[in-house]
Amino acid sequence: MKRNVFTTALLACVLAVSAYTAGASEAGRLLEGLAANQAEPVWLTAQRLSEVGTTGHDSNGYAQIDPAVVQAANDDARSVPERMAAAGALLLLGEQREGTIGLEKIAMNQAVSMDRRLEAAQILGKWGGEYATARLGIMLGASNVPEWLRVELAYSLWKLSSRPQAYQALEDIRVNGQSSLARAEATLALAQTDRFHSLRDEVRKLADSPGIIGERAQNILLINNRVAEEVRRDDFTVLLISEVIQKIRNFYAADEEDKDQAKRLQPRQLAESSAQALLYSLDQFNDYMNEEDYQEFESQLKANYGGIGAWVGMRDGRFTILTPMYDKPAFRAGLQPMDVIDKIDDTEIKDMKQNEIIKLLKGPANTTVRLRVYRRTWKEPREVAVRRDIIEIQSVKYQMLPGSIGYIRINSFNDGDPYRRVKGTAGLVKDALAKLNREGAKGIILDLSNNPGGVMVSGVDVAKLFIGERKTIVSSKGKRNFSRPTFYYANPGRPFYQKPVVVVVNPGTASAAEIVAGAMRDHDRAPLIGRKTYGKGSVQSLIGVDAARDRSRIKLTVAKYYLPNGDCIHEKGIEPDYKVPENDLSVAEAEARWKMRDHHEVTFCHQ
């Protein structure tokens, strides 16, 4: 009986090895065939590789990728088509980072033919995800990128994210390009975005051209004419909104002395309010941004400005401190996540738009702004004085605490810029871990409290420093016609840091920070200490609005994130393993604690 069991087990092992070998040989044959016939379409081979280049599935049901495919994508000794096909297959299999890196090397390699460089950019725009989006933005900002390649990089970036950077690059080449062909390519690329309306006449001129440019222009005209006809046939939505606005204008009893209300009753403002209400009814993270809102949004993304140092937003219709930035004026003044503000200096901000409120918060450095603040644990609102400062965001801080415990605080996640030799958050955390390890740290406190997130893939890279063995870190799913399912895995083997870790979270921990915390918890890598996280597990994309001549944007949820255990954290958050009760600190107490810590009388204090 034992012999039969042994024989059965041995047979199972042989079959498993045979299946692996057959899969690997099938992938190898495809790559060898592509090397022998380099005219074979790379994308077609990539699709076939994604079908045969797996060796089974893990306990979560995710595909285990044939190591031969991973190796081929990064093997400089292989031909360019082989490397491209393998990298494309990795994108299709959810290995966004490795696939993107493989294609980026080809696209940015001046020794590779222009046709292949363009094709690599096209594959990134077709099958890439958030990591490819970040890398395309960086590639587009690199110097000495040829015009043709710049057009393809920008168009691929637009397909993945609709970033303003893509529009600006295409518009610059369309107007100022040195090559007439590059200008035509940029025009056609823009016409395939939401800018067709403004470029219709130019596309018509190109449609009269002989050759491939003329044919592509004709196809763009045909597609847009067909879509316009379909919209005209189903015009109930347009008629309904128009009729409601017209009847409001005709019959609503407005306050004639209220100038603000009179402005809001203008047709354009009513239409924008309708769009905002529609988007918000689906998801509180959706929004409609008119031209003024969008300019304000872009200014918030800049590296520094005069303000209070806090991420803010509307929560349940109230202007709310989402996260005070660590070490910034709002934090030093004692403001906390979920504090509600209803008055700034002498201005009541009820019913004001978010961008108008933010303008009141900003001002010259070293000036003081007075806020009336409501907090859940306070019986009455309190006035808090915040001294504005130039806000410079530093993503990582670290130090050694008593008892040889390392402390690393991550304020936000960014991907850096290798072309300018700027390290991203993961690189900075890796340096901090190495230094603390050399100094004899027995373990690490990873502080993600009040971290609103940032670049999601940067968070994945940080998690990879602590999690190994190709374990799942996060996955995302959206509508397949816009945001295809994507999976992110840890690296093979052991992680960079293997000593004990504790992760600190609170209601200001959101988005990418929640992904890191959730992956650490689900894989039993670290316990979570603090309070329940914010619950921001969705992906938003900025989409241009043709009716506003692309000066406005719709911020729309296009995908949701899922933790390794399958949970979607959106609007749920993550419960810590060890809960810390919420402290009701007065402004004076918070300031006293800050001064003590600043003078090293208290080495570490977390509330």
Side-chain angles (χ1 to χ4, degrees):
M1 182 67 181
K2 291 182 178 179
R3 183 178 180 181
N4 290 339
V5 171
F6 174 79
T7 303
T8 302
L10 179 61
L11 179 60
C13 291
V14 170
L15 289 173
V17 172
S18 299
Y20 173 84
T21 305
S25 63
E26 177 70 15
R29 284 197 296 270
L30 284 169
L31 290 169
E32 289 172 5
L34 188 58
N37 180 15
Q38 298 197 14
E40 184 76 12
V42 168
W43 63 268
L44 189 58
T45 305
Q47 288 183 324
R48 289 286 297 125
L49 277 175
S50 70
E51 296 168 2
V52 304
T54 58
T55 60
H57 295 79
D58 63 15
S59 58
N60 292 319
Y62 298 139
Q64 294 290 302
I65 301 174
D66 187 338
V69 179
V70 180
Q71 183 182 10
N74 298 284
D75 187 355
D76 293 338
R78 289 183 178 269
S79 68
V80 170
E82 288 178 280
R83 288 155 52 199
M84 288 178 62
L90 290 178
L91 290 183
L92 288 170
L93 289 167
E95 286 287 354
Q96 287 289 316
R97 181 181 176 84
E98 288 75 9
T100 298
I101 289 173
L103 290 166
E104 181 180 350
K105 288 180 180 178
I106 294 170
M108 301 301 285
N109 189 344
Q110 296 181 8
V112 175
S113 70
M114 181 55 68
D115 286 345
R116 291 302 189 190
R117 296 175 73 183
L118 293 172
E119 193 173 7
Q122 291 166 357
I123 293 174
L124 283 172
K126 179 66 175 177
W127 295 331
E130 187 170 339
Y131 188 73
T133 300
R135 301 309 308 164
L136 282 166
I138 292 171
M139 285 187 271
L140 194 56
S143 59
N144 300 322
V145 176
E147 283 185 337
W148 284 10
L149 179 59
R150 188 175 294 277
V151 169
E152 203 58 61
L153 291 172
Y155 184 50
S156 291
L157 178 61
W158 175 83
K159 286 192 287 186
L160 295 180
S161 70
S162 301
R163 283 192 182 182
Q165 182 186 6
Y167 290 107
Q168 292 164 5
L170 290 172
E171 185 65 23
D172 181 60
I173 296 172
R174 184 186 76 84
V175 177
N176 303 313
Q178 297 180 358
S179 164
S180 59
L181 184 56
R183 293 197 299 271
E185 291 282 359
T187 300
L188 294 180
L190 277 170
Q192 293 176 86
T193 69
D194 45 18
R195 301 287 183 90
F196 173 78
H197 180 77
S198 61
L199 295 171
R200 185 190 300 270
D201 292 340
E202 290 188 43
V203 175
R204 284 173 177 164
K205 291 179 182 178
L206 290 174
D208 293 332
S209 306
I212 189 66
I213 291 292
E215 292 176 4
R216 287 170 55 198
Q218 291 172 18
N219 288 333
I220 291 172
L221 288 172
L222 286 172
I223 291 171
N224 280 276
N225 289 339
R226 187 180 303 122
V227 171
E229 180 61 28
E230 290 174 355
V231 171
R232 281 194 292 271
R233 290 174 185 170
D234 184 17
D235 55 1
F236 170 75
T237 304
V238 176
L239 290 175
L240 175 62
I241 298 299
S242 298
E243 184 176 346
V244 170
I245 290 175
Q246 180 181 358
K247 289 183 175 177
I248 289 174
R249 296 271 296 163
N250 286 344
F251 307 122
Y252 180 71
D255 185 347
E256 296 179 357
E257 297 181 359
D258 188 342
K259 294 182 180 179
D260 289 336
Q261 187 180 74
K263 182 180 178 181
R264 291 197 301 271
L265 290 175
Q266 294 300 312
R268 187 181 186 90
Q269 276 65 40
L270 287 171
E272 290 178 348
S273 297
S274 301
Q276 286 175 328
L278 173 62
L279 289 162
Y280 189 82
S281 70
L282 299 174
D283 187 324
Q284 65 174 328
F285 298 105
N286 295 332
D287 196 11
Y288 174 83
M289 294 184 284
N290 61 24
E291 184 176 4
E292 185 179 1
D293 295 335
Y294 182 52
Q295 290 175 352
E296 185 67 31
F297 174 81
E298 285 193 306
S299 73
Q300 290 184 60
L301 300 179
K302 295 182 179 179
N304 56 74
Y305 56 88
I308 67 170
W311 281 278
V312 298
M314 305 304 292
R315 193 74 181 241
D316 298 326
R318 299 179 297 177
F319 188 73
T320 306
I321 299 289
L322 301 181
T323 301
M325 298 177 190
Y326 183 74
D327 194 18
K328 303 304 176 191
F331 180 89
R332 293 198 293 267
L335 293 178
Q336 296 184 11
M338 302 302 109
D339 282 351
V340 173
I341 298 172
D342 74 343
K343 185 177 181 181
I344 299 176
D345 289 329
D346 296 323
T347 303
E348 301 279 350
I349 63 173
K350 184 180 179 182
D351 297 328
M352 289 179 64
K353 295 182 67 174
Q354 179 174 312
N355 68 302
E356 296 172 337
I357 299 172
I358 291 173
K359 287 180 181 178
L360 295 175
L361 289 176
K362 291 184 177 181
N366 299 318
T367 59
T368 299
V369 59
R370 293 176 291 107
L371 311 176
R372 187 165 67 190
V373 179
Y374 289 81
R375 186 174 297 170
R376 186 177 57 186
T377 56
W378 291 350
K379 293 181 179 179
E380 299 291 337
R382 304 178 187 179
E383 184 174 283
V384 178
V386 183
R387 193 169 183 81
R388 298 184 182 98
D389 199 354
I390 299 298
I391 306 302
E392 297 177 349
I393 303 171
Q394 183 178 352
S395 78
V396 177
K397 291 186 175 184
Y398 67 94
Q399 69 179 98
M400 183 71 81
L401 302 179
S404 297
I405 301 298
Y407 171 76
I408 299 177
R409 170 164 184 80
I410 305 178
N411 292 316
S412 62
F413 294 93
N414 65 73
D415 205 34
D417 186 348
Y419 296 105
R420 295 183 175 89
R421 298 183 179 180
V422 177
K423 287 187 177 181
T425 302
L428 296 174
V429 172
K430 187 175 183 179
D431 290 346
L433 288 169
K435 188 173 188 301
L436 292 169
N437 208 33
R438 288 194 299 269
E439 294 176 359
K442 299 176 183 177
I444 294 293
I445 296 173
L446 185 65
D447 190 352
L448 299 179
S449 63
N450 296 332
N451 182 326
V455 178
M456 185 275 289
V457 179
S458 175
V460 171
D461 288 343
V462 168
K464 287 181 179 180
L465 296 172
F466 302 94
I467 300 170
E469 300 175 353
R470 289 191 56 77
K471 293 179 179 177
T472 304
I473 293 176
V474 70
S475 61
S476 68
K477 289 185 286 186
K479 296 198 74 170
R480 288 185 175 271
N481 65 334
F482 189 82
S483 179
R484 58 185 303 277
T486 305
F487 302 93
Y488 296 86
Y489 303 95
N491 295 324
R494 295 183 177 181
F496 177 78
Y497 191 80
Q498 300 172 51
K499 293 181 180 179
V501 183
V502 168
V503 178
V504 179
V505 297
N506 73 350
T509 304
S511 193
E514 290 177 287
I515 288 171
V516 175
M520 299 282 273
R521 180 203 64 182
D522 286 1
H523 292 303
D524 296 323
R525 184 64 184 90
L528 306 186
I529 296 178
R531 287 179 285 149
K532 184 178 178 181
T533 63
Y534 183 83
K536 171 66 168 63
S538 60
V539 186
Q540 278 73 45
S541 181
L542 294 178
I543 303 173
V545 179
D546 191 44
R549 297 187 180 275
D550 200 54
R551 296 189 180 96
S552 301
R553 289 289 186 278
I554 292 173
K555 187 171 73 169
L556 188 67
T557 297
V558 296
K560 300 285 178 64
Y561 290 128
Y562 295 84
L563 296 179
N565 66 3
D567 287 348
C568 179
I569 60 176
H570 192 57
E571 297 185 347
K572 298 177 183 177
I574 302 173
E575 292 285 356
D577 300 290
Y578 301 95
K579 294 184 179 181
V580 176
E582 183 175 0
N583 292 330
D584 178 18
L585 293 180
S586 68
V587 176
E589 289 171 327
E591 184 65 22
R593 287 197 180 193
W594 170 258
K595 289 179 180 178
M596 292 172 67
R597 177 166 51 193
D598 197 36
H599 291 84
H600 302 286
E601 295 176 34
V602 175
T603 307
F604 173 70
C605 168
H606 176 73
Q607 52 171 305

